[in-house]
Amino acid sequence: MPKRHHVTMILLGLCLGAGTACGGSQAVTDAASAAPVRGSDLERSPGPRQSATPTAGSPGSAAPVPEGFKQIGGPANGVTVAVPKEWVALDLTKDDLDKGLKSSGLSGPTLEQAKRSLQTLVDNNGIWASDADSAKTSRNGFPTNLNAFCQAGRQISTEQLLRETRSQLEQLNAKVIETGKVRIGSREVARLVYSFETNGVNVRGTQYYVPVEDRTCIVTLSTDTGGKQELFDRIGETIRPV
């Protein structure tokens, strides 16, 4: 079963993005089971190609980096993914957390809250990236962002990942919009799209669970802005465990 810790990381993007979204670290723990998207976005984008055949095995080679993107992550994180070049990225195994968060556009109480919330990612050798410019256009000051990490544990089927993660999301009053298996590289991955509202902020997100032999890697993309699904799906296609 996906650990509650996994679910906590889903809403981490929400809490990092908007100072009004979460009241503190307990909110991250209590709310932490969802990363979100709006139905109209999904109607415009069919999502990645669907797959019905599980693929297990050792991690594969890095995905090609699309034009205008950069690859982040590496062996220390257990996963790589490509994000737009203009996004600020933090490798929490080595980067200066304070400097990186300030570069992302966060300040004041939101910056301090982000530092506290990111400790969970730090403890799991995670990656965090954000579109600083999106915070300027968001009415909530919410930067579109990504977090990714891997956690050791036995491999379970994508069907079980989908079923149990969906249940956890719904227990937290998240609206699950879409679930399914997709093919990323040579691997079958669980993909969930959902929305979560807290303190008037409607966060929409897409989450990928990538099972590997001895661990599961989780990548969560979060935004409060419409029209991001195509970008999120394109980023998702570049995820590779390493």
Side-chain angles (χ1 to χ4, degrees), residues 74-85:
N77 314 105
V79 64
T80 64
V81 61
V83 297
K85 285 183 177 179

Side-chain angles (χ1 to χ4, degrees), residues 31-241:
S33 240
V37 174
R38 192 166 56 193
S40 59
D41 294 338
L42 292 172
E43 291 168 3
R44 288 193 296 268
S45 173
R49 181 180 48 183
Q50 300 299 306
S51 168
T53 304
T55 299
S58 59
S61 58
V65 178
E67 184 177 355
F69 283 57
K70 62 184 177 183
Q71 182 174 284
I72 61 175
N77 314 105
V79 64
T80 64
V81 61
V83 297
K85 285 183 177 179
E86 63 270 18
W87 283 30
V88 174
L90 288 176
D91 177 346
L92 297 173
T93 66
K94 60 184 180 181
D95 290 339
D96 185 301
L97 184 57
D98 289 347
K99 182 178 179 180
L101 287 176
K102 289 177 182 177
S103 299
S104 73
L106 300 179
S107 62
T110 306
L111 174 62
E112 293 305 312
Q113 179 180 306
K115 287 165 60 176
R116 292 192 298 271
S117 299
L118 270 175
Q119 188 59 49
T120 306
L121 272 180
V122 173
D123 293 343
N124 285 274
N125 299 325
I127 311 163
W128 185 70
S130 80
D131 177 3
D133 288 341
S134 66
K136 300 173 186 176
T137 56
S138 164
R139 64 181 180 180
N140 302 302
F142 186 108
T144 296
N145 68 86
L146 170 151
N147 71 69
F149 73 106
C150 299
Q151 188 164 9
R154 65 182 179 85
Q155 185 176 8
I156 64 175
S157 69
T158 50
E159 290 88 350
Q160 187 175 353
L161 279 169
L162 288 167
R163 183 172 60 253
E164 295 179 352
T165 304
R166 177 171 192 145
S167 176
Q168 291 180 3
L169 285 165
E170 291 176 340
Q171 288 175 27
L172 293 168
N173 297 318
K175 180 181 179 182
V176 178
I177 298 169
E178 182 180 346
T179 66
K181 296 179 287 184
V182 299
R183 178 74 60 187
I184 297 180
S186 62
R187 192 176 300 277
E188 183 179 85
V189 173
R191 173 180 175 270
L192 299 94
V193 177
Y194 54 93
S195 65
F196 189 93
E197 186 165 344
T198 180
N199 291 347
V201 180
N202 182 27
V203 176
R204 300 177 287 276
T206 301
Q207 185 173 48
Y208 296 90
Y209 280 74
V210 185
V212 192
E213 288 179 344
D214 58 349
R215 66 190 189 278
T216 299
C217 297
I218 303 101
V219 178
T220 302
L221 293 134
S222 302
T223 187
D224 70 340
T225 304
K228 297 290 186 180
Q229 192 60 49
E230 183 177 354
L231 172 63
F232 284 2
D233 288 339
R234 192 175 188 196
I235 291 172
E237 290 170 357
T238 71
I239 299 168
R240 296 292 188 277

